[in-house]
């Protein structure tokens, strides 16, 4: 129990990789804590740091319009910075605030939601936060992190270069908040709570659909279910469904070929930004995710952008404004052929406002005349 190597089982400090064998490290709770977790206190199964909380987690499960009644969405877009990344950031911030850990500052490589989330929680703890992004990142995506007071650095290079630099900066007093298993043991550890909350609400569903970049959301969620099963609290684990966009699908490709995940070196041809991760420099992260899918008896699908955006529109016009990556997890359920008598939960990972749509908004200019207004309300 405690932080443990997922490969050799050694107990470790909260470091990303095992000092003995290099395996990824994650937190595992004892049976009593797991029981509390599924009885409505998911944080009971997190590391015992002094807890920094801003209302993350405990997100609602709701029926989705446009899907069979057996499908529900877990609305992670209701987290404080509007994505599930807040689960990991809250735990990271708790580790920084805890006087037993050496850290007092955070560095993070991210082009999107992780930067926003880590910056917010760093601000809450009052510690310095540096965000590293490729120079071609649209500035519209950096305003949130900057608003929280993070120092935003642009680098002439790729996301992988930013990731390398974050690794160099991280060290004795600086923790790496980048949201991959190989940099940060808090992300997947915190994402286990998704499983605890689902079990508390509806038990173990047949399927859990997850949009995947490197995949610590899928991996952490699956490990949460597996822990409950191994502790004898549940009878089963769900099948995990990994969803990527066709224009960058290294994890799905590895799954389809039945071989270890390799970096995606083709051009990235998808607009579904939150899951377009080529894994260059850290393919082991994607492989770890692929193994979770395999172990669960699940599957993996790659979707074309038009399918994803069609679902994003369908969700929005039925009241749920979600990021395109989140629409992908709903779309994936149909694409994977999940039958209507199986229960499925799609993780709606992020809010539409985190991904401003290009293009003009359709408006109609009218004179001060009620008639055209009445017209659309008939
Ligand atoms: C980060 C992110 C993902 C991908 O999750 P990973 O587990 O990091 O691969 C999916 N959707 C949204 C909205 C995200 O921000
Ligand atoms: Zn090990």
């Amino acid at each position: 129990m405690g932080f443990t190597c997922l490969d050799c089982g050694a107990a470790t400090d909260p470091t990303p990789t095992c000092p003995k064998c290099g395996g990824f490290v994650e937190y595992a709770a004892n049976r009593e804590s797991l029981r509390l977790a599924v009885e409505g206190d998911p944080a009971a199964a997190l590391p015992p740091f002094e807890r920094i909380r801003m209302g993350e987690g405990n997100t609602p499960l709701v029926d989705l319009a446009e899907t069979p009644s057996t499908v529900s969405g877990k609305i992670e877009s209701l987290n404080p910075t509007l994505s599930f990344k807040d689960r990991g950031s809250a735990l990271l911030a708790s580790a920084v605030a805890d006087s037993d850990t050496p850290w007092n500052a955070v560095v993070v490589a991210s082009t999107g939601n992780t930067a926003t989330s880590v910056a917010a929680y760093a601000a809450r703890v009052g510690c310095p936060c540096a965000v590293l992004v490729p120079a071609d990142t649209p500035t519209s995506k950096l305003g949130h992190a900057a608003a929280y007071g993070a120092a935003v650095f642009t680098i002439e290079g790729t996301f992988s270069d930013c990731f390398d630099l974050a690794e160099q900066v991280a060290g004795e007093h600086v923790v790496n908040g980048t949201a991959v298993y190989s940099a940060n043991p808090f992300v997947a550890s915190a994402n286990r709570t998704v499983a605890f909350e689902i079990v508390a609400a509806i038990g173990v569903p047949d399927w859990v659909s997850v949009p995947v970049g490197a995949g610590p959301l899928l991996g952490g969620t699956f490990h949460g279910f597996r822990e409950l099963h191994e502790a004898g609290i549940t009878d089963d684990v769900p099948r995990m469904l990994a969803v990527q966009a066709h224009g960058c699908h290294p994890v799905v490709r590895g799954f389809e070929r039945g071989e270890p995940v390799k970096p995606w070196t083709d051009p990235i041809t998808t607009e579904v930004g939150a899951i377009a991760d080529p894994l260059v420099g850290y393919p082991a992260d994607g492989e770890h995710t692929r193994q979770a899918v395999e172990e669960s008896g699940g599957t993996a699908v790659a979707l074309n952008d038009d399918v994803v955006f069609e679902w994003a529109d369908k969700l929005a016009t039925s009241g749920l404004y979600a990021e395109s990556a989140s629409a992908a997890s709903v779309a994936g359920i149909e694409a994977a052929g999940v039958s209507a008598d199986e229960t499925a939960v799609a993780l709606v990972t992020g809010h539409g406002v985190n991904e401003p749509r290009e293009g003009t908004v359709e408006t109609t200019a009218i004179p001060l005349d009620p008639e055209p207004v009445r017209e659309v309300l008939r």
Side-chain angles (χ1 to χ4, degrees):
M1 303 301 138
F3 284 91
T4 307
C5 172
L6 290 170
D7 285 353
C8 75
T12 74
D13 288 335
T15 56
T17 51
C18 172
K20 285 196 185 135
C21 79
F24 295 143
V25 169
E26 207 168 281
Y27 189 78
N30 62 32
R31 192 163 187 284
E32 180 50 27
S33 306
L34 291 168
R35 188 164 287 291
L36 292 172
V38 296
E39 283 168 0
D41 181 14
L46 290 175
F49 298 129
E50 176 195 328
R51 189 84 52 221
I52 300 297
R53 308 185 90 160
M54 296 203 294
E56 67 288 339
N58 281 315
T59 53
L61 268 180
V62 303
D63 291 342
L64 298 174
E66 310 282 344
T67 63
S69 61
T70 47
V71 178
S72 48
K74 187 155 173 65
I75 312 299
E76 292 295 299
S77 48
L78 290 178
N79 276 295
T81 73
L82 312 183
S83 85
F84 79 88
K85 296 292 194 314
D86 291 339
R87 294 178 185 269
S89 303
L91 188 55
L92 181 90
S94 301
V96 169
D98 194 287
S99 57
D100 288 341
T101 67
W103 304 300
N104 54 27
V106 186
V107 65
V108 56
S110 163
T111 58
N113 292 337
T114 303
T116 302
S117 178
V118 168
Y121 281 83
R124 177 69 182 75
V125 180
C127 79
C129 176
V131 174
L132 312 181
V133 301
D136 58 6
T137 307
T139 45
S140 63
K141 289 200 159 188
L142 305 175
H144 295 177
Y148 290 120
V152 181
F153 294 95
T154 60
I155 286 134
E156 289 297 336
T158 63
F159 176 77
S160 294
D161 296 324
C162 298
F163 183 35
D164 276 354
L165 195 60
E167 290 279 64
Q168 287 175 44
V169 172
E172 219 175 328
H173 298 296
V174 180
V175 64
N176 191 344
T178 306
V180 294
Y181 311 100
S182 55
N184 175 346
F186 302 110
V187 170
S189 297
N191 292 338
R192 293 155 55 248
T193 52
V194 171
F196 306 147
E197 293 170 20
I198 292 173
V199 169
I202 59 166
V204 179
D206 295 313
W207 291 90
V208 177
S209 181
V210 190
V212 163
L217 178 59
L218 188 148
T221 301
F222 177 63
H223 294 151
F225 281 112
R226 188 176 65 185
E227 254 177 295
L228 295 176
H229 185 224
E230 283 171 354
I233 294 170
T234 52
D235 296 332
D236 212 347
V237 295
R239 294 168 174 223
M240 303 302 294
L241 170 57
V243 185
Q244 296 197 295
H246 200 262
C248 181
H249 64 282
V251 175
V252 177
R253 185 179 59 185
F255 179 86
E256 285 171 346
R257 295 181 179 172
E259 59 186 39
V261 171
K262 294 199 284 278
W264 184 262
T265 52
D266 299 340
I268 295 173
T269 58
T270 173
E271 301 289 313
V272 188
I275 52 175
D277 189 336
L279 306 173
V280 172
Y282 50 100
D285 280 75
E287 173 58 10
H288 195 64
T289 301
R290 185 187 73 96
Q291 286 174 10
V293 175
E294 289 278 2
E295 188 184 333
S296 75
T299 192
V301 292
L303 305 177
N304 288 328
D305 276 23
D306 52 358
V307 174
V308 174
F309 284 96
E310 200 179 293
W311 270 97
D313 282 348
K314 269 201 245 186
L315 293 174
T317 53
S318 61
L320 182 64
Y321 189 28
E323 265 196 77
S324 56
S326 317
S329 80
V330 183
I333 289 175
E334 190 176 66
V338 172
S339 87
D341 54 19
E342 294 179 292
T343 51
V345 174
L347 302 187
V348 179
T349 46
H351 202 289
V353 303
N354 277 337
E355 184 183 54
R357 298 284 160 84
E358 306 291 326
T360 50
V361 178
E362 203 178 302
T363 60
T364 310
I366 55 167
L368 213 51
D369 172 6
E371 210 35 51
V373 182
R374 288 188 182 128
E375 186 67 31
V376 299
L377 300 176
R378 276 193 184 107

